[in-house]
Amino acid sequence: MIAVSEAQKLIEAHSLTLQVIEVNLEEAFGHYLAEDLNAPISLPSFRQSAMDGYAIIHSEAKNLKITGQVQAGDVEVPALNPGEAIRIFTGAPVPELADTVIIQEHTTREGDNLILNQIPAKNANVRPVGEQLKAGDLALTKGHRINEASIGFLAGLGFTSIKVYKKPCVALLTTGNELQERGAPLKPNHIYESNGIMLEMALKRIGISQIEKIKVPDTLEATVKAVKKALEQADVLLISGGISVGDYDFVQEALSENGVQEHFYKVNQKPGKPLWFGTQADQSVFGLPGNPASSLTCFYVYVLPHLRLRMGSKKPFLEEREAILQQDLRNPHDKTLFLKAGVDQNRIMPFTGQASSMLNTYAVSNALLIIEPHQTEVKQGDTVTYLDLNF
Ligand code: AMP
Ligand code: MG
């Protein structure tokens, strides 16, 4: 049995990034950048008006003659001379000699005569070339996760495609003869299968959508076969259940028969002690405990960072934050505890109902409170650490 920190180190050591692929901007969402991107053009690339108004040469003059107009997208820009003003609109190119745009609300127009009701600051409302970014500047760095804002930013720079890391194809295997699909009344002594759909949604939340779901009955033969099939299709295997020491737990043996190399089995934690992790060349496998809350905790603490690393993230782990504990807690068994909890402002309260079979409390948790093995007694009012589940 190993410590949580050791298990996380082993995960980090065996989380090779997937291939680099070039994708169109439309397909880049949720991927991590595989290269630094430099701006191919300046933003803006010409001097732009930030407002609707009049382009002028800054002076104390309060009466100017309007001699032309320029609109966003105009290729020809009228010339401006001292004593003159050019009608201009937001996004339009600023005439060569103009250094200032006075907003129309600060003027009165009488025919071709413009009266300035106040003198604007010099350079007001003119966006200089490269105000946001100059051509050649670093736009986004390798490891950055592409979101909608990044896509908008890169589109504005004219990118059509970029290099990112592939997202993994994940095989989700659920073991257990007692598992039943939803949609019919429960058969005697069966339970509705819930880990499959739960882990599928957790994968989707971090941007993974290529998911193969495989149901596995509790026999060694079926488990060996299912693992073999999954290894033919997927980059990462998540196997739920069958990893404990019961007579019908065949996952460990099936992995060994398929030649998957074990990196660790069993972590000094509650819940989720019987967690298994191994690799075979560039494929990785997690044997997750079948108890739903254990499975999800192992996902947050180990699987999620592993998948993020494989996708090219540089900050793979869930954020650790601090809050003030609202009750006394005991941890007598020298284990790391991950407790389903609610955080409000900086106050954290673990829920009653921590059993690893219970999702009722997980469903309303926004934090996983971490109690370290040495923290045998923690008191109300102590500062404690938690993993932020709002990611
Ligand atoms: P196991 O790890 O296979 O011994 O399963 C531990 C507990 O989790 C048992 O009570 C199982 O019935 C339950 N369990 C296993 N797999 C699932 C699943 N996919 N959905 C819901 N509960 C499960
Ligand atoms: Mg089982």
Side-chain angles (χ1 to χ4, degrees):
M1 187 145 68
I2 62 171
V4 168
S5 58
E6 257 176 276
Q8 286 182 323
K9 272 192 208 120
L10 283 167
I11 300 260
E12 281 188 279
H14 296 281
S15 298
L16 292 173
T17 46
L18 291 150
Q19 287 150 260
V20 174
I21 50 172
E22 181 146 1
V23 292
N24 289 333
L25 216 47
E26 289 86 346
E27 288 132 34
F29 185 84
H31 281 276
Y32 291 82
L33 264 183
E35 58 181 344
D36 285 343
L37 290 180
N38 295 312
I41 56 171
S42 294
L43 281 185
S45 60
F46 57 93
R47 289 198 313 138
Q48 246 174 31
S49 178
M51 299 296 272
D52 295 322
Y54 296 87
I56 59 171
I57 301 164
H58 189 266
S59 75
E60 294 304 314
K62 290 209 154 184
N63 286 287
L64 300 171
K65 191 170 164 48
I66 302 163
T67 57
Q69 127 165 349
V70 60
Q71 191 185 335
D74 280 356
V75 176
E76 300 298 329
V77 184
L80 176 76
N81 300 301
E84 296 176 355
I86 301 273
R87 180 78 171 115
I88 196 166
F89 302 96
T90 306
V94 175
E96 209 180 322
L97 289 182
D99 54 18
T100 302
V101 169
I102 178 165
I103 64 172
Q104 63 194 43
E105 292 86 339
H106 292 168
T107 64
T108 308
R109 182 172 183 166
E110 287 166 1
D112 284 344
N113 294 318
L114 184 72
I115 298 151
L116 280 58
N117 301 325
Q118 51 179 273
I119 301 291
K122 194 174 175 182
N123 302 321
N125 305 315
V126 176
R127 299 179 188 141
V129 170
E131 182 187 41
Q132 187 180 160
L133 209 67
K134 294 193 174 46
D137 281 355
L138 185 62
L140 289 173
T141 49
K142 184 174 166 175
H144 171 82
R145 187 169 195 224
I146 302 291
N147 59 14
E148 58 276 21
S150 329
I151 297 217
F153 176 46
L154 294 177
L157 284 167
F159 282 96
T160 53
S161 66
I162 55 174
K163 286 187 179 144
V164 296
Y165 294 100
K166 215 187 92 165
K167 291 181 189 177
C169 170
V170 177
L172 249 177
L173 294 81
T174 43
T175 73
N177 288 351
E178 73 280 28
L179 304 178
Q180 187 185 316
E181 289 297 310
R182 286 159 294 119
L186 276 175
K187 287 185 264 180
N189 308 327
H190 280 59
I191 60 168
Y192 289 123
E193 197 286 311
S194 61
N195 289 350
I197 190 169
M198 177 174 68
L199 295 171
E200 182 186 357
M201 295 307 131
L203 290 167
K204 291 205 166 142
R205 186 164 167 196
I206 57 168
I208 295 171
S209 53
Q210 237 191 312
I211 302 165
E212 295 290 330
K213 291 188 349 184
I214 304 169
K215 285 182 253 175
V216 192
D218 286 326
T219 67
L220 177 60
E221 201 194 351
T223 313
V224 171
K225 229 172 105 187
V227 168
K228 184 165 182 284
K229 182 172 166 224
L231 286 170
E232 281 161 13
Q233 309 179 338
D235 302 298
V236 179
L237 275 56
L238 303 184
I239 310 174
S240 143
I243 195 64
S244 303
V245 293
D247 288 354
Y248 297 96
D249 291 332
F250 297 114
V251 170
Q252 196 181 10
E253 199 175 337
L255 288 168
S256 141
E257 282 207 16
N258 275 287
V260 184
Q261 190 202 341
E262 176 183 313
H263 296 304
F264 65 77
Y265 176 44
K266 291 191 178 162
V267 182
N268 186 29
Q269 62 185 6
K270 194 177 174 180
K273 176 175 142 191
L275 171 68
W276 193 99
F277 172 66
T279 56
Q280 188 188 65
D282 55 0
Q283 291 171 293
S284 34
V285 181
F286 285 88
L288 299 170
N291 269 309
S294 311
S295 223
L296 190 58
T297 296
C298 289
F299 183 90
Y300 289 140
V301 180
Y302 306 97
V303 180
L304 178 149
H306 170 76
L307 292 169
R308 281 182 171 171
L309 283 167
R310 299 214 60 186
M311 290 193 286
S313 167
K314 299 210 186 296
K315 264 189 80 193
F317 292 96
L318 288 187
E319 291 283 350
E320 280 191 14
R321 303 190 193 286
E322 288 188 338
I324 310 297
L325 186 62
Q326 301 301 302
Q327 71 166 68
D328 295 350
L329 286 174
R330 287 170 47 76
N331 178 25
H333 301 300
D334 204 29
K335 276 181 190 312
T336 302
L337 306 182
F338 293 103
L339 303 175
K340 295 164 270 188
V343 173
D344 186 16
Q345 313 281 4
N346 66 338
R347 296 141 64 94
I348 189 163
M349 185 69 176
F351 289 112
T352 306
Q354 290 295 334
S356 55
S357 54
M358 295 178 178
L359 286 183
N360 59 334
T361 42
Y362 230 142
V364 293
S365 293
N366 60 1
L368 266 187
L369 171 58
I370 307 172
I371 305 293
E372 302 286 354
H374 69 267
Q375 292 178 290
T376 49
E377 282 196 27
V378 249
K379 295 280 179 209
Q380 180 177 0
D382 285 356
T383 297
V384 289
T385 303
Y386 69 91
L387 295 177
D388 189 355
L389 298 184
N390 290 318
F391 54 87

